[in-house]
Amino acid sequence: MRSLLLSHVRLATLAGFSEIVKSLNGDLESILAHSDLDAELLLPQYYDEYVTVEKLHTLLVNATHQTKTPELAFKIGLSRDYRATGILGLLLQQSKNVEELISRLVLFLALHARDTLSMKTQSLDQGIAIIFVPGSHLEQDSWILHDLVLGRLISIFKKTCGEEFKFDKVCLKARNKELIEKYKKMSDENIQMGCDFDGLIVPNQWLKSELKTRDPQLDVLLTKYLSENGAILEPITVSVESLIAQNLSSGNLSNELVADKLAMSKRTLTRKLAREDHSYKELLTAFRKSEACKLLKNSNYTISEIAFELGYSEISSFTSAFKIWFDDTPLKWRSQHKRKAQ
């Protein structure tokens, strides 16, 4: 089971942001204030902290409009140092070939920007298309986040494959002609607008090419480190959501249990979640609400079976909680939403 909560990215994603905004005569303090972010969070020593993708998007949108520079996000993406991506960035460099690099990129984006922006791949005659799949959380100005990631991917492929690497095509759906011309001046890629999707197409001839940055021994060490320390390498919110999903039907959903499984005290867990603007109770409630709706809509489980799946020992406890969430009983909600789907 999977929650529908917004995910997080490392603050390293914003490496170089301050310098670029200042070079455009932007008011950095004003942009940060409107984005509800502290200036110190942009310092390198905070790169391992996390920020919600929503907050990252808000910052980029505010900076784009304040500096009147629509190409800002793309420029930041192109200029980023791949080393700032931390251990996951190092692991990208150790991919066996371009094909594996694509697979790892899709996986890592799914981890850090779930339900906000993900990628899927599609085999085409000329190569593999990396297609952006926008989530439901960011609707207004979502192209700004897309263009940040596009710039980032171009930079990653150039640094891992060599400057001679070129995509078959960089695909953009709806952008104005003036912006496309600016992008073409910033990159030597074949950038085209009016496409069916935002994304990139990697040519067939590159798919089996070995990466210039690959070190097989380092890859083994990093992969082992990732598997042994996965909970440390991702936002604490992601780890907590995963444990809630695993233990939901058991009914044992105390924050003490989750803290113990993460090898930390309940107090430390509370502090780490607060740093990511969440609480344990909020995550548990949000997960239960999401799963309740999904099971009521898409399964034939009885109300008592759904209550059990969500970790409630009594059907009355589930019904009471559901009434608070939706001002309706589970039975009536199911009847109304199943009718709408027909």
Side-chain angles (χ1 to χ4, degrees):
M1 284 187 290
R2 213 174 146 207
S3 112
L4 295 176
L5 295 173
L6 198 64
S7 196
H8 297 68
V9 290
R10 295 173 71 242
L11 280 165
T13 305
L14 294 170
F17 175 83
S18 302
E19 292 75 13
I20 291 175
V21 168
K22 288 176 181 176
S23 72
L24 295 168
N25 297 315
D27 186 340
L28 185 61
E29 288 186 12
S30 173
I31 292 168
L32 290 168
H34 280 88
S35 307
D36 195 26
L37 278 172
D38 294 328
E40 66 175 15
L41 290 178
L42 298 180
L43 297 174
Q45 57 262 43
Y46 291 97
Y47 281 176
D48 282 325
E49 298 291 330
Y50 286 88
V51 64
T52 64
V53 178
E54 185 178 44
K55 189 154 282 191
L56 168 67
H57 179 250
T58 299
L59 179 67
L60 289 171
V61 170
N62 288 338
T64 297
H65 293 316
Q66 206 268 351
T67 61
K68 296 181 174 59
T69 310
E71 68 272 21
L72 177 67
F74 188 69
K75 187 173 184 178
I76 292 172
L78 286 175
S79 68
R80 284 252 294 100
D81 187 335
Y82 68 91
R83 289 171 296 182
T85 54
I87 244 173
L88 294 182
L90 287 172
L91 195 62
L92 286 176
Q93 297 170 54
Q94 310 317 316
S95 303
K96 293 176 186 174
N97 52 40
V98 172
E99 199 166 24
E100 185 174 278
L101 172 63
I102 294 169
S103 298
R104 288 183 174 184
L105 278 167
V106 171
L107 175 64
F108 295 164
L109 189 64
L111 171 66
H112 285 290
R114 309 173 292 136
D115 305 310
T116 306
L117 176 65
S118 60
M119 295 187 294
K120 65 179 182 180
T121 58
Q122 181 179 331
S123 294
L124 304 176
D125 290 341
Q126 67 268 45
I128 291 182
I130 303 173
I131 300 171
F132 289 4
V133 182
S136 58
H137 292 289
L138 305 178
E139 295 180 4
Q140 188 175 9
D141 291 326
S142 60
W143 64 271
I144 293 177
L145 183 62
H146 287 198
D147 290 1
L148 171 76
V149 179
L150 275 171
R152 184 73 236 114
L153 293 182
I154 291 172
S155 179
I156 286 173
F157 275 86
K158 291 283 189 186
K159 284 183 167 67
T160 54
C161 302
E163 287 300 320
E164 65 273 20
F165 175 87
K166 278 196 178 183
F167 291 98
D168 178 77
K169 188 192 301 183
V170 175
C171 307
L172 297 172
K173 289 199 292 187
R175 306 290 192 282
N176 65 56
K177 206 169 183 180
E178 184 182 351
L179 183 59
I180 296 298
E181 290 306 313
K182 288 181 178 179
Y183 285 180
K184 287 180 177 178
K185 289 179 181 178
M186 294 161 64
S187 168
D188 62 355
E189 294 290 343
N190 175 24
I191 303 174
Q192 295 188 19
M193 61 182 286
C195 302
D196 295 332
F197 61 87
D198 284 347
L200 315 105
I201 300 175
V202 181
N204 283 321
Q205 64 264 32
W206 278 97
L207 296 179
K208 299 301 179 184
S209 300
E210 292 188 3
L211 302 193
K212 294 181 180 293
T213 52
R214 177 166 166 72
D215 179 339
Q217 289 182 321
L218 182 57
D219 185 41
V220 171
L221 291 172
L222 288 171
T223 303
K224 183 180 178 183
Y225 185 82
L226 270 172
S227 64
E228 292 176 351
N229 299 279
I232 298 171
L233 293 172
E234 61 188 27
I236 194 70
T237 303
V238 175
S239 300
V240 171
E241 289 173 11
S242 176
L243 287 169
I244 288 173
Q246 292 169 30
N247 295 278
L248 196 62
S249 61
S250 71
N252 191 359
L253 292 166
S254 67
N255 52 359
E256 288 93 347
L257 171 76
V258 171
D260 185 60
K261 285 185 176 291
L262 293 174
M264 63 181 70
S265 68
K266 186 173 75 169
R267 185 177 178 182
T268 299
L269 174 64
T270 300
R271 188 178 69 251
K272 285 178 175 286
L273 285 173
R275 196 180 296 163
E276 295 177 14
D277 297 324
H278 289 297
S279 70
Y280 180 76
K281 183 179 179 181
E282 173 208 338
L283 294 180
L284 176 58
T285 299
F287 196 93
R288 278 175 157 166
K289 284 172 69 175
S290 169
E291 291 303 313
C293 292
K294 186 172 73 175
L295 291 171
L296 285 168
K297 230 172 153 180
N298 304 322
S299 80
N300 293 318
Y301 286 6
T302 65
I303 302 302
S304 60
E305 286 173 333
I306 291 174
F308 175 77
E309 284 293 318
L310 298 178
Y312 292 97
S313 56
E314 300 288 339
I315 187 173
S316 57
S317 300
F318 169 53
T319 302
S320 297
F322 197 90
K323 282 182 178 177
I324 293 172
W325 301 338
F326 300 106
D327 196 25
D328 213 343
T329 66
L331 203 58
K332 286 182 180 177
W333 191 96
R334 167 180 263 177
S335 177
Q336 290 169 359
H337 286 76
K338 282 208 167 184
R339 265 204 315 271
K340 287 179 183 177
Q342 290 172 351

